[in-house]
Amino acid sequence: MTRPVKILVLQFASIGDVVLTTPVLRCLTQQIPNAVVYYCTKRLYEPIIEANPYITKAYYQDGSVYKLIHQLRAESFDYVIDLQSTFTTGLIKAVVGSRSYSVDKQNLRQWAYIRWKINAMTDQHIVDRFMATVLPLGVENDGRGLDYFIPYRDEVETDWLPETHRQHFVAYAIGGQSLTRRLPVLRMIELCLKINYPIVLLGDKEDRKTGEEIVRAVGEQHIYNACGLYNINQSASLLRRARIVFSHDTGLMHIAAAFRRKIYSIWGSTTPQFGFYPYKTPHVRLENPGLGCRPCSVTPTGSCPMNHFKCMNNLPFDFEVNELRTKKNFD
C-alpha cells in the first residue's frame, strides 16, 4: 500500500484570503498521487472550509499558537505550504520541521507602492502567486478558479426573502475591513438608486445600521437589508443566486467570484494592483484611478489620511448595467 503524502496548508489572514487558497487545495489533491491535504486557519473561518471536499482534516487556532503547534507537530507532515508568510506561520514551519514552501508576498514592492506610489507590483493575481508556491511539487494551476462549498443546512430558501426579492435581485456587499474601503452611506444610497433594481444588502451585524439607513432612503420594497441576519454560508447562498454582485474590497467579493457571478468591484484606499481583484469571473472595476494618494493602505485604517476621501466621495458611477434592463427595474 502506497504511503499517503501529508500536506499542511497555512492561512490565517481573512475570509477572502482563505477563499483565495481554494485552487491550491484542489490542485494539490488532484495532481499529487495519494495527497492528503490538511488545512490550518483561525476557528472563525471554520464555516468557510468545513464542506470543502479537498480538505482531509482541519486544525484551528482557538487561542495559544503553541498548543496548535504541538498538535501539528504530532502529524509528521511531508510538506508545509505557507500561503501567508507571517511570524506565526514561520514559527509553525520552524517547529513542525517539515520541508516547506512559502508564498512571495512582495512586501518590498507593496511598501514602495504605498509609501512612494511607485507601482512595481507584478501583474499577477494573488491566486497565481499561491499556485506558484506549489509549483516545485509539480502542481500547476488548472484554471478552474475559486471554490466555495455550502453545507445543505445553510442554503437559503426562497420564501425566507421578501416577495419583492424572490425571483431576481442584485446583491450588494456593503461591508469592508475599514471605513476607507467602503463608500460613505450617502454614496451607497446613490449607488442603489443608480442600480435601479431589487437589491439584497449583505454584511455582518456591524453593517446593519448602515443597511437601515439605505432602506429608509430608498424604500423597503426595493432594498432588503440582510446584514446580520445570515451567517457567512447563507450569505454565500444569496450571492450564488444574485443576478450580479456589487462589492467593496471584501471577502464576499471573492465568494461571489467562486460562483462566477459578474462583479462590480468598488475600490477606495486599496487598488486592484495588489492582486486581490475578482478572480476568473467577469468583473468591472469602479475606482478613481487619477488620485495621487492611492493606495494609502492595505490594512484597516480609521479614516482618510488626507481628510478628503476623494477615492470614494468622487468615485464616478458612469457604468451601465445592461444585465438588468428588465421590468424588474423601479422608478
Side-chain angles (χ1 to χ4, degrees), residues 114-144:
I114 296 169
R115 180 66 179 85
W116 303 108
K117 306 301 182 279
I118 300 172
N119 185 7
M121 301 296 296
T122 59
D123 186 19
Q124 188 179 38
H125 197 282
I126 187 63
V127 172
D128 297 315
R129 277 187 258 155
F130 287 163
M131 291 303 310
T133 309
V134 295
L135 192 59
L137 299 180
V139 176
E140 299 181 348
N141 195 338
D142 61 12
R144 289 165 48 194

Side-chain angles (χ1 to χ4, degrees), residues 25 28 35 57 74 84 93 117 124 132 167 198 211 221 230 240 251 267 279-280 284 286:
L25 308 178
L28 285 171
K57 185 176 180 179
Q84 189 176 4
K93 288 181 294 185
K117 306 301 182 279
Q124 188 179 38
Q167 297 301 317
Q221 69 273 32
Y230 298 98
R240 185 167 61 185
W267 301 87
Y279 188 68
K280 298 290 185 180
V284 176
L286 305 181

Side-chain angles (χ1 to χ4, degrees), residues 154-162 200-205 208 224-238 241 252:
D154 287 330
E155 294 285 357
V156 174
E157 302 292 340
T158 300
D159 59 5
W160 295 6
L161 303 177
V200 174
L201 303 180
L202 296 176
D204 58 24
K205 293 179 180 179
R208 185 151 188 84
Y224 173 47
N225 182 15
C227 297
L229 300 183
Y230 298 98
N231 64 36
I232 186 65
N233 286 328
Q234 290 170 330
S235 296
S237 176
L238 290 170
R241 293 170 54 183
L252 289 180

Side-chain angles (χ1 to χ4, degrees), residues 36-86:
V36 180
V37 177
Y38 294 69
Y39 200 87
C40 187
T41 189
K42 293 180 181 178
R43 176 67 69 178
L44 178 65
Y45 307 141
E46 180 178 4
I48 304 170
I49 65 168
E50 63 176 330
N52 192 318
Y54 303 114
I55 297 175
T56 299
K57 185 176 180 179
Y59 282 95
Y60 301 103
Q61 183 181 1
D62 289 312
S64 171
V65 69
Y66 299 104
K67 179 181 177 181
L68 174 64
I69 290 174
H70 179 74
Q71 294 173 326
L72 295 175
R73 189 175 184 182
E75 288 283 2
S76 299
F77 294 106
D78 294 286
Y79 302 104
V80 177
I81 310 300
D82 181 1
L83 299 182
Q84 189 176 4
S85 291
T86 61

Side-chain angles (χ1 to χ4, degrees), residues 194-325:
K194 166 75 176 182
I195 294 170
N196 193 34
Y197 202 82
I199 299 170
V200 174
L201 303 180
L202 296 176
D204 58 24
K205 293 179 180 179
E206 295 181 358
D207 300 313
R208 185 151 188 84
K209 183 177 179 181
T210 299
E212 290 172 351
E213 292 186 58
I214 297 172
V215 171
R216 284 194 294 269
V218 183
E220 63 182 11
Q221 69 273 32
H222 305 311
I223 305 293
Y224 173 47
N225 182 15
C227 297
L229 300 183
Y230 298 98
N231 64 36
I232 186 65
N233 286 328
Q234 290 170 330
S235 296
S237 176
L238 290 170
L239 288 170
R240 185 167 61 185
R241 293 170 54 183
R243 290 198 66 179
I244 59 173
V245 175
F246 283 76
S247 179
H248 302 135
D249 178 14
T250 186
L252 289 180
M253 178 179 74
H254 300 299
I255 294 175
F259 298 127
R260 315 300 186 265
R261 298 294 86 195
K262 182 173 182 178
I263 300 169
Y264 288 74
S265 59
I266 303 164
W267 301 87
S269 61
T270 57
T271 71
Q273 284 68 35
F274 288 113
F276 288 85
Y277 51 88
Y279 188 68
K280 298 290 185 180
T281 197
H283 66 278
V284 176
R285 300 176 187 178
L286 305 181
E287 61 178 328
N288 199 345
L291 293 175
C293 55
R294 293 178 70 235
C296 67
S297 176
V298 292
T299 57
T301 58
S303 60
C304 171
M306 303 298 291
N307 296 317
H308 56 58
F309 204 24
K310 289 182 179 179
C311 59
M312 289 299 198
N313 285 327
N314 296 351
L315 180 69
F317 292 155
D318 54 1
F319 60 89
E320 294 294 334
V321 188
N322 295 324
E323 299 93 337
L324 304 181
R325 293 184 181 277

